[in-house]
Amino acid sequence: MSYYKIKSHAKINLALNVIGKKKSLHRIESIVSFLELHDEILIKKINQKNHKIKFIGKFSNKIGSNNTINSLFKNIEKKKLLKNKFQIIIKKKIPAKAGLGGGSMNAANILNFLIRKKFIKVKKNELIKISNSVGSDVLLGMQSNNLILKADGTIKTLKSKKKIFTLIVKPNFGCSTKKIYSGVRKFSKSQFYNASENMFKFNNLKKMKNDLQPIAFRYYPKLNILKKFLDKLSNYEFVRMTGSGSAIIVYFNTGKKCKDAEKKVKKQFRNYWCKTSKTI
């Protein structure tokens, strides 16, 4: 049997508000999009006793056995939903601990594949439980469209043809999501209850924020140095950290402006990962 090929796109938070806390988990609302930047997943059914999972590529060397893919299959097996075993090879092009949701998006796309190809059958409530048991972002990756994560946890998908050009800069260190959220001391008021495509317009996005950004800057001062440099670039729309970091994204309205900025960043921060991409 030949491999199926899956693109697992990077997720970005264009804006993020922490609006409360329920038990041990924080409640957030977010404006989310996906980039052309993606990991490549190869998957096929095999006649073996166990699943075979392998990571390759630039950002694969620090992925241990406690990863989102193993977690996904453990949860599926626990519920006895899957009869077959699979060989999975994931070429990692998305860096970890960057706020780009690489691991969660991998799990989401594999779960989507298993459902679409009818290897598993699951009801909506069961799907939500499986997704949340792997990671809070997994459900977002099941959509792969522009979307609004609302305060009540519901997801509003929006179809927008507008392309946003991005310059992603990740320092040579990652941020601990757990550590960042532990630093939350106050909550924002919910703003995204009336979800619409207008929220993806630059004039509106510029007025928004990422509540996790000042916390990350406090714990990781080098992020503030990077942000100050990016703020001095020209012809951009806005600059903002995605998710819990450590990647900071510069947003542009043309690809040329984006590429011009990339040259300047690479010259100044030679040991940082820097990549241009655009929304899908």
Side-chain angles (χ1 to χ4, degrees):
M1 181 181 180
S2 59
Y3 285 102
Y4 289 95
K5 296 180 181 180
I6 304 169
K7 289 183 179 180
S8 180
H9 294 274
K11 171 196 68 67
I12 55 172
N13 300 90
L14 290 92
L16 187 153
N17 297 326
V18 182
I19 54 174
K21 193 173 183 180
K22 187 176 182 181
K23 295 183 180 179
S24 61
L25 295 176
H26 287 83
R27 293 171 55 234
I28 69 168
E29 60 180 11
S30 185
I31 300 175
V32 176
S33 194
F34 294 85
L35 299 177
E36 285 186 347
L37 170 67
H38 63 274
D39 291 336
E40 295 175 358
I41 303 175
L42 300 176
I43 182 169
K44 70 176 180 179
K45 188 171 64 171
I46 56 173
N47 187 20
Q48 301 280 340
K49 290 183 179 180
N50 299 303
H51 301 291
K52 304 291 183 182
I53 300 169
K54 182 180 180 181
F55 294 90
I56 62 173
K58 183 176 181 179
F59 298 108
S60 64
N61 57 338
K62 293 184 179 180
I63 300 175
S65 58
N66 185 25
N67 57 70
T68 57
I69 310 307
N70 277 327
S71 178
L72 172 65
F73 279 102
K74 282 180 183 178
N75 279 281
I76 293 173
E77 299 280 9
K78 189 176 180 181
K79 298 177 183 297
K80 298 180 179 179
L81 296 171
L82 190 60
K83 296 179 181 179
N84 308 103
K85 303 298 180 184
F86 291 87
Q87 182 169 20
I88 300 168
I89 301 172
I90 303 177
K91 185 175 183 180
K92 295 297 295 180
K93 297 181 179 180
I94 302 170
K97 295 186 177 180
L100 298 170
S104 294
M105 298 308 102
N106 292 166
N109 281 280
I110 290 171
L111 185 53
N112 255 339
F113 166 83
L114 295 175
I115 294 170
R116 192 174 69 251
K117 295 297 181 181
K118 299 181 179 179
F119 288 112
I120 62 173
K121 291 182 180 180
V122 352
K123 294 181 179 179
K124 186 176 180 180
N125 287 343
E126 196 67 36
L127 175 62
I128 293 172
K129 288 179 181 178
I130 293 171
S131 299
N132 288 339
S133 68
V134 177
S136 58
D137 282 354
V138 173
L139 270 179
L140 303 181
M142 301 289 288
Q143 315 295 327
S144 290
N145 286 318
N146 285 339
L147 59 88
I148 308 294
L149 173 62
K150 300 173 80 172
D152 60 1
T154 58
I155 299 169
K156 173 70 174 179
T157 58
L158 299 163
K159 291 184 179 180
S160 175
K161 294 181 180 180
K162 180 182 178 181
K163 298 297 180 186
I164 299 175
F165 296 87
T166 64
L167 174 61
I168 314 151
V169 188
K170 182 194 176 295
N172 53 0
F173 59 87
C175 290
S176 165
T177 299
K178 185 176 180 180
K179 183 176 182 179
I180 300 300
Y181 273 100
S182 71
V184 175
R185 295 290 178 265
K186 59 182 180 179
F187 303 120
S188 294
K189 291 183 179 179
S190 177
Q191 301 176 52
F192 303 161
Y193 36 84
N194 292 323
S196 71
E197 289 186 17
N198 286 333
M199 296 174 76
F200 286 87
K201 292 183 177 179
F202 283 133
N203 286 342
N204 291 321
L205 289 169
K206 289 176 186 178
K207 301 172 187 175
M208 298 174 188
K209 63 189 186 322
N210 178 353
D211 281 344
L212 301 179
Q213 181 173 295
I215 301 168
F217 284 15
R218 188 166 70 245
Y219 287 135
Y220 303 92
K222 285 184 179 180
L223 288 176
N224 198 32
I225 296 171
L226 173 60
K227 173 71 161 52
K228 286 180 178 179
F229 177 84
L230 297 177
D231 283 337
K232 293 178 182 178
L233 294 172
S234 56
N235 300 316
Y236 65 84
E237 298 296 328
F238 66 99
V239 181
R240 188 169 296 146
M241 189 181 81
T242 178
S244 57
S246 61
I248 299 178
I249 300 180
V250 192
Y251 294 87
F252 296 87
N253 59 15
T254 72
K256 184 182 184 305
K257 293 175 184 178
C258 200
K259 284 290 184 183
D260 290 344
E262 180 187 26
K263 293 175 185 176
K264 295 178 182 178
V265 174
K266 284 186 173 180
K267 185 177 180 180
Q268 181 69 21
F269 298 95
R270 297 181 185 276
N271 62 339
Y272 283 13
W273 180 78
C274 185
K275 183 78 174 177
T276 61
S277 189
K278 64 181 178 179
T279 54
I280 58 175

